Amino acid sequence: MKKWLIPVIVIAVIVYGIYNWAVGFQNTAVETQENAKAKWSNVESAYQRRNDLIGNLVSTVKNAAEYEKGTLTAVIEARAKATSTKIDANNLSAENMAQFQKAQSGLSGALGKLMVVVEKYPELQANKNFLALQSQIESTENRIKMERDRFNESVNIYNKLIKKFPGSFLAGVMNFDEMDLYKSNPGSENAIDVGEKFKE
């Protein structure tokens, strides 16, 4: 074998190894990033389910508590704002998520006032449809918390991947930026207990 072939072969092996490593990193980074975005879709889906249930709840309350128009209007307006606040999964910035959370918190506050008001209506407390909706909203609040936690876990996996050396070098070259975690309002880490939480 000619002597000049040895360094060429060594260089070719090194280049091939670096290429495989870079491709492997990119594929893993894309996979974990897309997984985090999919988890965000699950968060929005859980909030959408709550919004749908609240619409049904408002209709039920409206029929039984006709004098509470102001409270019902506040819930309807907060629900409309929460429903219209969406985030593109490709633009999950801390600012956008804070705006999303603010709209959802506004709806939670309006819903809380509504739940306090309905205590004045014994017929609602005995209404099976109302009780079923109340129970479904409670379970949906638990689902929302679970989906937010899963989103943050997947973002954490992605962020660790792109921050650890030597992956951090490739992340910079390939434009893989850190993703922001979902940060809820203080106290909202606990799922809402509809009917009890709002009495406070």
Side-chain angles (χ1 to χ4, degrees), residues 108-124:
S108 294
L111 178 60
K113 291 175 184 172
L114 176 63
M115 299 310 291
V116 169
V117 163
V118 298
E119 289 180 2
K120 294 190 269 182
Y121 297 89
E123 64 272 27
L124 268 176

Side-chain angles (χ1 to χ4, degrees), residues 28-42 150-151 153-155 157-158 179:
T28 303
V30 167
E31 185 179 338
T32 54
Q33 186 182 56
E34 291 303 315
N35 185 49
K37 290 177 183 178
K39 297 292 184 188
W40 175 254
S41 296
N42 293 341
R150 286 178 176 172
F151 168 74
E153 286 169 11
S154 61
V155 168
I157 290 168
Y158 166 77
M179 292 180 73

